Structure formats: C-alpha cells, structure tokens
Amino acid sequence: MTNYLTAIQEAIAEEMAANRDLIVMGEDIGILGGAFGVTTGLQETFGKERVIDMPISEGAIAGVAVGMALNDKSVCAEFQFIDFISTGFDQIVNMMATYHYRTAGEVALNITMRGPAGGYGGGALYHSQMNEAWFANSPGIKIVVPSTPYDAKGLTKAALRDPNPVLIYEIKELYRSKSIEEVLPTEDFIVPLGKAAIRREGKDITLVTYGQNVYHCLEVAEKLAADGYEAEVIDLRTLVPLDEETIVESVKKTNRVLVVNEAPKTCGFAGEVVARINELCFEHLDAPALRVTRLDTPVPWVKPLELFVLPSVEKIHAAALKICKF
C-alpha cells in the first residue's frame, strides 16, 4: 500500500532516473528531505548537484528555476509551505508564466512547482492557505490538486514531463492518511493534466470539488443518499486547464450543482467554476448553482475556529439539500 506522500516521492525519483537533466531544488530538501520528508533519500541517490538545498528565499527558488530551465534543465522546485510562494510571485507570474508567449512559442520552461497546502491541520494562517486563484488568474501556469495517491503520482509525473510550468498543490493533511492508501501499478503511468475524475455516479445533483473536500463531498453523498438523493461527485484534479466537458455532461444529467473549495469565497476558484456552469449550462439548470467555501478570513489556529471557517460536511450537506429541494 502506498500513501499520498510516498506516491509523490516515487514519481520524482522515477522521473529523475529517467531524465538526467531533471534538477530538484528547495529549502532543506537534501539531508533533511524537506519539511514533510517528500524528498527523503533523493540527494543520497542522485547527488548534491541534482538535489540542491536553496536559501530561505522563494523568490530565489523561482528565479533560479527560470534560469535553469532556460539552460535546458528540467526543474522540480519545492516550496516548503505553499503559503510562502507569494514572495516568488513576480518571478512566477511575470517571468515563468509568460516566457512561452513572449517568445511566440519558441521557448518552453519545463518547471514543476510543488508544495504542501491547505487547512484542517491546525497550521494557522501562514500554513493553511489554498491560494490557487492567484495563479489561475495568471495565464501560462497549469494548476494541479491531487486527492489520491494514484493521482498524486500520476499527476506529478505528468507535470515533470510537461514542457511548460505546472504548479502542484499537495494536500498536506493527505500526506500520511492511511485511509486513502492504495496499491499502485508497478508499471510506469501518468494521469493526464486537464482531465477530471468522477468519484461517484449520481443523477440528482453534481458536487464539484478538489483536494481535501473530495472526501467531505463523498461523505455528503452518503448522507444525501439517506435523504433520497443520488449525488455525483467530480474531482477536478486539474484546475487549469479546467475539464469543462466532464462538468457540463454531469450537469446535463443532474440539472443541479454545488461547487466546494476551501479557498476564500471572494474571487476564489469556486466562483469561477460557478460562472462557467452558468455560461455553459444555463438552460440545463433547475436550481441556482451554489458554492461552499472558506469564510473570507485567515485560517485560525484554534481547532474549533478553524473548522468553523472551512467547508465542512455539515455545511456542504445543508447547501446540497437546499439545491435538491429548490
């Protein structure tokens, strides 16, 4: 059985073995193996020239990644907590994301950025964010959020092979979750970027989500079944590019939809998905498309307060019932 963290570790190690130009860099990723141990053993196996400890500067990590990629290296850059990727923002959105466009497609930057993200673990405001909307608003960066070990490995491998920048939000509360461990294929595989997964089939309402909330929505689907409603649960897996086809086909079947994410409500990615559903499925909706998100506040450290501001099974269930009964 393989957990979420080990799946990512295997993906990086296998891709490094297959691609001698792949460099891994980040804070304390060498001997320490990273804050959560994702890169444990990589420096011992591949050496200090390919597994590089960087100073505590996300701006430097992003900038050096761009420089290396311009010199024909493939780069896997770890951000110790995805919250602090903000200090590398200029290098990412103004340099990395635009290079392919600025060179009329002549230059591609094979850079994968990855790091632990999300709440529910008592990490407080600096270690609990989901800031994916910042980068979804910056054309040129693909965005990935795996929710299972299979997807964590397959999407990471796909990102490392992609010629252009990919940002992976690794859900740290899933890193060592025993309840989601899986037996993974022994042969090489990838999960294509831009393709959502249907985690549960249903006919009465579609729940669209990703990351930690996939499991909340699956639990809500069980509750809705007891209420007499069959929910379809879509795990987006990739936010950019968004798999509109899977969403539209599901909404055509269920005619009702709820979007769930744990980023703040205002300008969050859930709002983008709701807007697209209104544009693409307006005539198929029997009820308004709604969303359940984090409250527009930093994530508190105190556990009851943290759970109060983040999406919960209870909040999602109540919103889904409201839509079903509309």
Side-chain angles (χ1 to χ4, degrees), residues 104 109 118 132 161 203 225 231 248 253 256 260 268 274 293 322:
L109 302 181
E132 63 273 24
R161 297 178 192 182
K203 60 181 178 55
V248 169
K253 181 171 61 172
R256 289 173 167 79
V260 181
V274 168
T293 71
K322 182 179 179 180

Side-chain angles (χ1 to χ4, degrees), residues 277-304:
I277 290 168
N278 282 323
E279 291 168 356
L280 300 170
C281 307
F282 186 76
E283 69 273 26
H284 298 289
L285 290 171
D286 288 342
L290 300 182
R291 56 186 156 161
V292 173
T293 71
R294 185 178 115 197
L295 301 181
D296 284 332
T297 175
V299 180
W301 171 70
V302 178
K303 193 69 176 178

